[in-house]
Amino acid sequence: FLSLVAEFCCGFFVILILGNFWFVAVLYLLWLYLDWGTPCAGGRRSQWVRGWTVWKYFREYFPIHLIKTSELNPNHNYLLGFHPHGVLVAGAFGNFCTDPPFKNLFPGLTPYLHIMPIWFGCPFFREYIMSAGMVSASKESVSHVLNNEGGGHASVIVIGGAEESLNAHPGSLTLNILKRKGFIKMALKHGAHLVPVFSFGENELFKQVANPRGSWLRNVQEKLQKIMGFALPLFHARGVFQYTFGLIPYRQPIHTVVGSPIPVKQNLNPTTEEIDQLHALYLQKLKKLFEEHKSNYGIPAHKSLIFE
């Protein structure tokens, strides 16, 4: 979805350059230069954009639900680890980039969804995603959000990243997380409480071409991901008037469950041992969250999360 909108915005920018409105493109490039650092400085959210009626219909299409399991004190800052990535990341967008789901359940907290910096280089598109509450996933950006002295900020990071989207097959419970410890270090450095979030149904929205590890397709996808910074899963779902083939996601319910916070004491220079210890605790709490709720959302009792 983001890719399609970004392509449209880039195409529109090219039309401005080649057409009679090249001066508009020049003015925008000047604005882009002056505003380049904004995605790393909290962005520029718009309550009006976040409250568009279209987002209500977007959430109701699947539908998307946000489930609260514990209070989050707005006097603290939080780092929410979102799992799994899926293809669309619909649960993250629907719950953290539109109002009122998160605002109603967690009053006093402002969520910031961190996405790859590359998206903020797309003309016009960057203005839209910032207005929805998205900011860069760079260390500088995460630090800016978590540095809020009065608390009340929540960084939402899709831990598995683009690489995990290649595992987004219906029924898949594989998470790319064992080597991902940067978010743990950020939480320690800023004293941000860690909150595991699991989005049941995220991997059921699309069917993806078989790409087991070691296959030629997976090798090509992983090489492209390293070069471009984002993955290219080959997926399909339903069409507008038929359910056989298309790029519109299936109508599968998404239940995004927000777990209990893991208290984190600020440590400006955490050791490798301290990072590993907190990372292990986070994995334990994430697995517990999944096990406690999986029966509510159609996951068989014998299935568990796979960390790799």
Side-chain angles (χ1 to χ4, degrees):
F1 175 73
L2 287 178
S3 298
L4 291 175
V5 178
E7 288 174 10
F8 173 81
C9 291
C10 289
F12 178 68
F13 185 72
V14 171
I15 291 173
L16 288 179
I17 295 176
L18 299 179
N20 295 325
F21 298 95
W22 59 268
F23 61 93
V24 176
V26 172
L27 289 175
Y28 183 80
L29 285 175
L30 176 60
W31 161 256
L32 189 62
Y33 172 77
L34 297 173
D35 193 57
W36 190 254
T38 301
C40 293
R44 187 169 45 248
R45 71 178 52 224
S46 165
Q47 294 305 129
W48 175 66
V49 172
R50 290 173 60 89
W52 280 351
T53 303
V54 66
W55 303 136
K56 176 177 178 290
Y57 294 118
F58 173 80
R59 294 191 302 268
E60 291 178 349
Y61 171 80
F62 298 97
I64 296 175
H65 304 280
L66 186 65
I67 292 87
K68 174 182 179 179
T69 65
S70 178
E71 295 291 339
L72 297 183
N73 189 334
N75 293 325
H76 298 296
N77 292 317
Y78 298 88
L79 194 158
L80 278 62
F82 184 92
H83 313 269
H85 184 287
V87 172
L88 188 64
V89 205
F93 178 82
N95 287 311
F96 303 116
C97 295
T98 71
D99 287 330
F102 190 86
K103 182 168 64 174
N104 284 353
L105 288 180
F106 301 99
L109 282 181
T110 302
Y112 295 82
L113 179 61
H114 296 270
I115 63 175
M116 291 184 296
I118 189 173
W119 293 115
F120 296 97
C122 180
F124 301 116
F125 180 66
R126 69 188 297 274
E127 317 305 332
Y128 158 66
I129 56 178
M130 279 197 289
S131 67
M134 289 180 246
V135 291
S136 172
S138 67
K139 292 181 181 179
E140 178 188 357
S141 177
V142 177
S143 291
H144 184 276
V145 172
L146 297 181
N147 256 341
N148 193 41
E149 292 185 4
H153 281 188
S155 279
V156 183
I157 301 177
V158 184
I159 305 300
E163 184 181 357
E164 193 173 85
S165 67
L166 299 178
N167 290 328
H169 297 272
S172 174
L173 296 173
T174 301
L175 303 181
N176 291 58
I177 191 172
L178 291 182
K179 296 181 180 180
R180 296 179 181 266
K181 301 179 181 180
F183 73 104
I184 298 291
K185 186 175 182 179
M186 294 301 292
L188 282 166
K189 291 184 69 174
H190 296 283
H193 295 351
L194 281 167
V195 181
V197 178
F198 195 87
S199 196
F200 292 89
E202 199 75 45
N203 283 339
E204 321 307 316
L205 305 185
F206 297 92
K207 292 180 179 178
Q208 190 174 167
V209 175
N211 60 341
R213 290 192 180 279
S215 65
W216 69 268
L217 176 57
R218 186 61 169 257
N219 290 336
V220 170
Q221 288 174 321
E222 289 177 345
K223 288 179 180 179
L224 289 175
Q225 190 263 326
K226 290 179 180 179
I227 295 172
M228 301 184 297
F230 56 89
L232 292 173
L234 298 180
F235 60 90
H236 65 88
R238 55 162 291 186
V240 178
F241 302 111
Q242 45 78 29
Y243 291 84
T244 306
F245 187 83
L247 296 179
I248 297 177
Y250 293 115
R251 297 193 70 176
Q252 297 289 339
I254 297 172
H255 295 86
T256 303
V257 184
V258 180
S260 301
I262 303 170
V264 177
K265 185 177 180 180
Q266 187 174 26
N267 183 347
L268 295 177
N269 296 292
T271 63
T272 301
E273 183 180 355
E274 290 169 330
I275 293 173
D276 289 344
Q277 184 177 7
L278 183 56
H279 185 262
L281 177 60
Y282 179 85
L283 294 183
Q284 178 186 331
K285 294 295 184 181
L286 174 60
K287 186 172 183 178
K288 181 182 178 183
L289 177 70
F290 174 81
E291 293 295 332
E292 288 178 347
H293 294 273
K294 68 180 183 181
S295 62
N296 297 332
Y297 308 116
I299 307 294
H302 68 278
K303 286 201 169 185
S304 298
L305 293 178
I306 299 172
F307 298 142
E308 64 174 31

